Amino acid sequence: SQTIHQWPATLVQPVGSPLSLECTVEGTSNPNLYWYRQAAGRGLQLLFYSVGIGQISSEVPQNLSASRPQDRQFILSSKKLLLSDSGFYLCAWSPPPRLAATYEQYFGPGTRLTVT
Amino acid sequence: AQSVTQPDIHITVSEGASLELRCNYSYGATPYLFWYVQSPGQGLQLLLKYFSGDTLVQGIKGFEAEFKRSQSSFNLRKPSVHWSDAAEYFCAVGDEYGNKLVFGAGTILRVKS
């Protein structure tokens, strides 16, 4: 069966510091991968998605970036964090559209980021 | 572009009472529709999905949802709510390329004893 991991689970970082959040998926190949953010009291905001290694689509302009160095690894980064980057970050995967009929996404446990 | 509206931000029901969470979507073709649940501090869990066929779909934890094309709705229902159902519920619609989901803003369910 497939599993998705995120780490760290919680993170407290000062403003201006760098960020690296990692997401890995096991038990599947060529998944679509996604990064979402939930700010307090808000819904899910899609930040990035990837349909393959090195292929990143950005949904919202910001000071965050994403990379996919391996098929089942997705990394969210920032060079300098802002206070507004605080939130709950969720990684998700879905089977590639050519293999799936219904496009559901499966979510990881999330990372709580607090920028101080 | 697709969009999803969940009109109720908060809903409170008594334990044992029935539940209906509303979801309206905007999409030109036959939509792929989903309901997810999120407990505080956790990731999202898929409750159920609709993509074709029977318009009444069954999911996990005793939930069901009915797709009504004429009303552009996909409401989530449960006949008898348990205290453990207290969580936030998200409705989502898939885009035509199968690469993205568009989520509603969520409905927070509170269960009173």
Side-chain angles (χ1 to χ4, degrees):
Chain A
S1 63
Q2 301 85 7
T3 55
I4 179 169
H5 304 278
Q6 285 186 247
W7 64 90
T10 60
L11 191 59
V12 180
Q13 293 283 95
V15 169
S17 65
L19 173 73
S20 181
L21 303 182
E22 189 164 346
C23 171
T24 59
V25 181
E26 297 176 355
T28 187
S29 296
N30 305 313
N32 285 0
L33 296 172
Y34 306 84
W35 278 112
Y36 291 87
R37 177 171 60 201
Q38 271 185 308
R42 298 187 176 183
L44 283 82
Q45 180 185 36
L46 178 62
L47 301 176
F48 302 94
Y49 73 94
S50 171
V51 300
I53 296 175
Q55 300 178 62
I56 309 295
S57 296
S58 175
E59 292 295 297
V60 181
Q62 59 211 315
N63 72 323
L64 298 172
S65 62
S67 62
R68 183 171 178 174
Q70 301 180 43
D71 180 45
R72 291 169 289 177
Q73 183 184 30
F74 205 24
I75 297 172
L76 184 69
S77 304
S78 174
K79 293 181 179 179
K80 291 185 178 182
L81 283 168
L82 306 173
L83 285 174
S84 58
D85 291 324
S86 292
F88 191 52
Y89 288 81
L90 289 160
C91 181
W93 73 274
S94 69
R98 61 183 174 80
L99 294 181
T102 57
Y103 316 139
E104 64 263 32
Q105 294 180 14
Y106 300 94
F107 285 79
T111 295
R112 174 73 59 192
L113 172 65
T114 304
V115 182
T116 60
Chain B
Q2 302 86 355
S3 66
V4 176
T5 302
Q6 294 181 247
D8 304 304
I9 299 174
H10 297 97
I11 283 186
T12 301
V13 299
S14 298
E15 190 169 15
S18 63
L19 170 70
E20 183 170 29
L21 302 182
R22 296 183 291 164
C23 172
N24 293 97
Y25 67 91
S26 173
Y27 186 61
T30 300
Y32 298 95
L33 294 161
F34 309 86
W35 274 101
Y36 285 85
V37 62
Q38 184 182 32
S39 297
Q42 305 291 318
L44 276 71
Q45 181 182 23
L46 179 66
L47 284 175
L48 47 79
K49 61 188 178 185
Y50 170 81
F51 56 99
S52 66
D54 193 345
T55 56
L56 183 64
V57 294
Q58 303 297 320
I60 62 172
K61 304 185 178 186
F63 285 93
E64 66 178 26
E66 186 172 12
F67 170 59
K68 293 185 177 180
R69 184 187 299 276
S70 61
Q71 299 178 19
S72 297
S73 69
F74 188 55
N75 293 349
L76 182 71
R77 301 195 294 248
K78 188 170 184 177
S80 177
V81 170
H82 188 262
W83 63 266
S84 60
D85 293 324
E88 189 163 15
Y89 292 79
F90 293 93
C91 182
V93 62
D95 76 338
E96 63 267 39
Y97 305 111
N99 286 329
K100 294 190 289 185
L101 296 182
V102 175
F103 285 85
T107 297
I108 296 173
L109 172 65
R110 298 182 178 129
V111 180
K112 60 181 180 180
S113 56

